[in-house]
Coordinates of all heavy atoms in Angstrom, one line a residue:
H63 N 0.8 -1.2 0.0 CA 0.0 0.0 0.0 C 0.9 1.2 0.0 O 1.8 1.3 0.8 CB -0.9 0.0 1.2 CG -1.6 1.3 1.4 ND1 -1.5 2.1 2.5 CD2 -2.5 1.9 0.6 CE1 -2.3 3.2 2.4 NE2 -2.9 3.1 1.2
S64 N 0.6 2.2 -0.9 CA 1.2 3.5 -0.9 C 2.8 3.3 -1.0 O 3.2 2.7 -2.0 CB 0.9 4.2 0.4 OG 1.3 5.6 0.3
Y65 N 3.5 3.8 -0.1 CA 5.0 3.7 -0.1 C 5.4 2.2 0.0 O 6.4 1.8 -0.5 CB 5.6 4.5 1.1 CG 7.0 4.1 1.4 CD1 8.1 4.7 0.7 CD2 7.3 3.3 2.5 CE1 9.4 4.4 1.0 CE2 8.6 3.0 2.8 CZ 9.7 3.5 2.1 OH 11.0 3.2 2.4
G66 N 4.5 1.4 0.5 CA 4.7 -0.1 0.6 C 4.9 -0.7 -0.8 O 5.5 -1.7 -1.0
G67 N 4.3 0.0 -1.8 CA 4.5 -0.4 -3.2 C 5.9 -0.3 -3.6 O 6.4 -1.1 -4.4
E68 N 6.6 0.8 -3.2 CA 8.0 1.0 -3.5 C 8.8 -0.2 -2.9 O 9.8 -0.7 -3.4 CB 8.5 2.3 -3.0 CG 7.9 3.5 -3.7 CD 8.6 4.8 -3.3 OE1 9.7 5.1 -3.8 OE2 8.0 5.5 -2.4
V69 N 8.4 -0.5 -1.6 CA 9.2 -1.6 -0.9 C 9.1 -2.9 -1.7 O 10.1 -3.5 -1.9 CB 8.7 -1.7 0.5 CG1 9.3 -2.9 1.2 CG2 9.0 -0.4 1.3
I70 N 7.9 -3.3 -2.0 CA 7.7 -4.6 -2.7 C 8.4 -4.6 -4.1 O 8.9 -5.6 -4.6 CB 6.3 -5.1 -2.8 CG1 5.4 -4.2 -3.7 CG2 5.7 -5.2 -1.4 CD1 4.0 -4.8 -4.0
S71 N 8.4 -3.4 -4.7 CA 9.1 -3.3 -6.0 C 10.6 -3.5 -5.9 O 11.2 -3.9 -6.9 CB 8.8 -1.9 -6.7 OG 7.4 -1.8 -7.0
N72 N 11.1 -3.2 -4.7 CA 12.6 -3.3 -4.5 C 13.0 -4.5 -3.8 O 14.2 -4.7 -3.5 CB 13.1 -2.0 -3.8 CG 13.2 -0.8 -4.8 OD1 14.2 -0.6 -5.4 ND2 12.1 -0.1 -5.0
V73 N 12.1 -5.4 -3.4 CA 12.4 -6.6 -2.8 C 13.2 -7.4 -3.8 O 12.9 -7.5 -5.0 CB 11.2 -7.4 -2.4 CG1 11.5 -8.9 -2.1 CG2 10.6 -6.8 -1.1
Q74 N 14.3 -8.1 -3.4 CA 15.2 -8.9 -4.3 C 15.3 -10.3 -3.7 O 16.3 -10.6 -3.1 CB 16.5 -8.2 -4.4 CG 16.5 -6.9 -5.3 CD 16.2 -7.2 -6.7 OE1 17.0 -7.8 -7.4 NE2 15.0 -6.9 -7.1
P75 N 14.3 -11.1 -3.9 CA 14.3 -12.4 -3.3 C 15.4 -13.3 -3.8 O 15.7 -13.3 -5.0 CB 12.9 -13.0 -3.7 CG 12.5 -12.2 -4.9 CD 13.1 -10.9 -4.7
K76 N 16.1 -14.0 -2.9 CA 17.1 -14.9 -3.3 C 16.6 -16.4 -3.4 O 17.1 -17.1 -4.3 CB 18.3 -14.8 -2.3 CG 18.9 -13.5 -2.3 CD 20.0 -13.4 -1.2 CE 20.6 -12.0 -1.1 NZ 19.6 -11.0 -0.7
T77 N 15.7 -16.7 -2.5 CA 15.2 -18.1 -2.5 C 13.6 -18.1 -2.7 O 13.1 -19.1 -3.1 CB 15.6 -18.8 -1.3 OG1 15.1 -18.1 -0.1 CG2 17.1 -18.9 -1.1
A78 N 13.0 -17.0 -2.3 CA 11.5 -17.0 -2.3 C 10.9 -17.1 -3.7 O 11.5 -16.6 -4.7 CB 11.0 -15.8 -1.6
N79 N 9.8 -17.7 -3.8 CA 9.1 -17.9 -5.1 C 8.0 -16.8 -5.1 O 6.8 -17.1 -4.8 CB 8.5 -19.3 -5.2 CG 7.6 -19.4 -6.5 OD1 7.8 -18.6 -7.4 ND2 6.8 -20.4 -6.4
V80 N 8.3 -15.6 -5.5 CA 7.3 -14.5 -5.6 C 6.6 -14.7 -6.9 O 7.2 -14.5 -7.9 CB 8.0 -13.1 -5.4 CG1 6.9 -12.0 -5.6 CG2 8.7 -13.0 -4.1
K81 N 5.3 -14.9 -6.8 CA 4.5 -15.2 -8.0 C 3.7 -14.0 -8.5 O 3.3 -14.0 -9.6 CB 3.6 -16.4 -7.8 CG 2.5 -16.2 -6.8 CD 1.4 -17.3 -6.9 CE 0.7 -17.3 -8.2 NZ -0.4 -18.3 -8.4
A82 N 3.4 -13.1 -7.6 CA 2.6 -11.9 -8.0 C 2.8 -10.7 -7.1 O 3.2 -10.9 -5.9 CB 1.1 -12.4 -7.9
L83 N 2.6 -9.6 -7.6 CA 2.6 -8.3 -6.9 C 1.2 -7.6 -7.0 O 0.6 -7.6 -8.1 CB 3.7 -7.4 -7.5 CG 5.1 -7.9 -7.7 CD1 5.9 -6.9 -8.5 CD2 5.7 -8.2 -6.3
V84 N 0.8 -7.1 -5.9 CA -0.5 -6.4 -5.9 C -0.3 -5.0 -5.3 O 0.2 -4.9 -4.1 CB -1.6 -7.1 -5.0 CG1 -2.9 -6.4 -5.1 CG2 -1.8 -8.6 -5.6
Y85 N -0.6 -4.0 -6.1 CA -0.4 -2.6 -5.7 C -1.7 -2.0 -5.2 O -2.6 -1.9 -6.1 CB 0.2 -1.8 -6.8 CG 1.7 -2.2 -7.1 CD1 1.9 -3.2 -8.1 CD2 2.7 -1.7 -6.4 CE1 3.2 -3.6 -8.3 CE2 4.0 -2.1 -6.7 CZ 4.3 -3.0 -7.6 OH 5.6 -3.4 -7.9
V86 N -1.8 -1.6 -4.0 CA -3.1 -1.1 -3.4 C -2.9 0.4 -3.2 O -2.2 0.8 -2.2 CB -3.4 -1.8 -2.1 CG1 -4.7 -1.3 -1.5 CG2 -3.6 -3.3 -2.4
A87 N -3.4 1.2 -4.0 CA -3.2 2.7 -3.9 C -1.7 3.0 -3.7 O -1.3 3.7 -2.8 CB -4.0 3.3 -2.8
A88 N -0.9 2.4 -4.6 CA 0.5 2.3 -4.3 C 1.4 2.9 -5.4 O 1.0 2.9 -6.6 CB 0.9 0.9 -4.0
F89 N 2.6 3.2 -5.0 CA 3.6 3.6 -6.0 C 4.2 2.3 -6.6 O 4.5 1.3 -5.8 CB 4.8 4.4 -5.4 CG 4.4 5.8 -5.0 CD1 4.2 6.2 -3.7 CD2 4.2 6.8 -6.0 CE1 3.8 7.5 -3.4 CE2 3.9 8.1 -5.7 CZ 3.7 8.4 -4.3
S90 N 4.5 2.3 -7.9 CA 5.2 1.2 -8.5 C 6.3 1.8 -9.4 O 6.2 1.9 -10.6 CB 4.3 0.2 -9.3 OG 3.5 0.9 -10.2
P91 N 7.3 2.3 -8.7 CA 8.3 3.2 -9.5 C 9.2 2.3 -10.4 O 9.5 1.1 -10.1 CB 9.2 3.8 -8.3 CG 9.1 2.8 -7.2 CD 7.7 2.2 -7.3
D92 N 9.7 3.0 -11.4 CA 10.7 2.4 -12.3 C 12.1 2.7 -11.6 O 12.2 3.6 -10.7 CB 10.7 3.0 -13.7 CG 11.4 2.1 -14.7 OD1 12.1 1.1 -14.3 OD2 11.2 2.3 -15.9
I93 N 13.1 2.1 -12.1 CA 14.5 2.4 -11.6 C 14.8 3.9 -11.7 O 14.6 4.4 -12.8 CB 15.5 1.5 -12.3 CG1 15.2 0.0 -12.0 CG2 16.9 1.9 -11.9 CD1 16.0 -0.9 -12.9
G94 N 15.2 4.5 -10.6 CA 15.6 5.9 -10.6 C 14.5 6.8 -10.2 O 14.7 8.0 -10.0
E95 N 13.2 6.3 -10.1 CA 12.1 7.1 -9.7 C 11.9 7.0 -8.2 O 12.2 6.0 -7.6 CB 10.8 6.7 -10.4 CG 10.8 6.9 -11.9 CD 9.6 6.4 -12.6 OE1 8.9 5.5 -12.0 OE2 9.3 6.8 -13.8
S96 N 11.3 8.0 -7.6 CA 10.9 8.1 -6.2 C 9.5 8.5 -6.1 O 8.8 8.9 -7.0 CB 11.8 9.1 -5.5 OG 11.5 10.4 -5.9
A97 N 9.0 8.4 -4.8 CA 7.6 8.8 -4.6 C 7.5 10.3 -4.9 O 6.5 10.7 -5.5 CB 7.3 8.6 -3.1
A98 N 8.5 11.1 -4.5 CA 8.4 12.5 -4.8 C 8.5 12.8 -6.3 O 7.7 13.7 -6.7 CB 9.6 13.2 -4.1
S99 N 9.3 12.1 -7.0 CA 9.4 12.5 -8.4 C 8.1 12.1 -9.2 O 7.7 12.8 -10.1 CB 10.6 11.8 -9.1 OG 10.5 10.4 -9.1
L100 N 7.5 10.9 -8.8 CA 6.3 10.5 -9.4 C 5.1 11.4 -9.1 O 4.3 11.8 -9.9 CB 5.9 9.1 -9.0 CG 6.7 8.0 -9.8 CD1 6.6 6.7 -9.0 CD2 6.3 7.9 -11.2
S101 N 5.1 11.9 -7.8 CA 4.0 12.8 -7.4 C 4.2 14.1 -8.1 O 3.2 14.7 -8.5 CB 4.1 13.1 -5.9 OG 3.9 11.9 -5.2

């Protein structure tokens, strides 16, 4: 949710099997983007 979308976007799992991402009123930034720049 919100800034939490940035967090899940930047998770780098080494062993976990992440199958899906769900963004709830959230930022999903590209590399180099921030919440402030997107806003």
Side-chain angles (χ1 to χ4, degrees):
H63 171 242
S64 191
Y65 166 81
E68 293 189 81
V69 173
I70 67 170
S71 294
N72 280 269
V73 164
Q74 288 293 288
K76 298 175 181 63
T77 59
N79 176 21
V80 177
K81 66 166 294 183
L83 306 171
V84 182
Y85 292 91
V86 180
F89 289 108
S90 50
D92 201 348
I93 296 169
E95 293 178 341
S96 66
S99 68
L100 283 165
S101 294

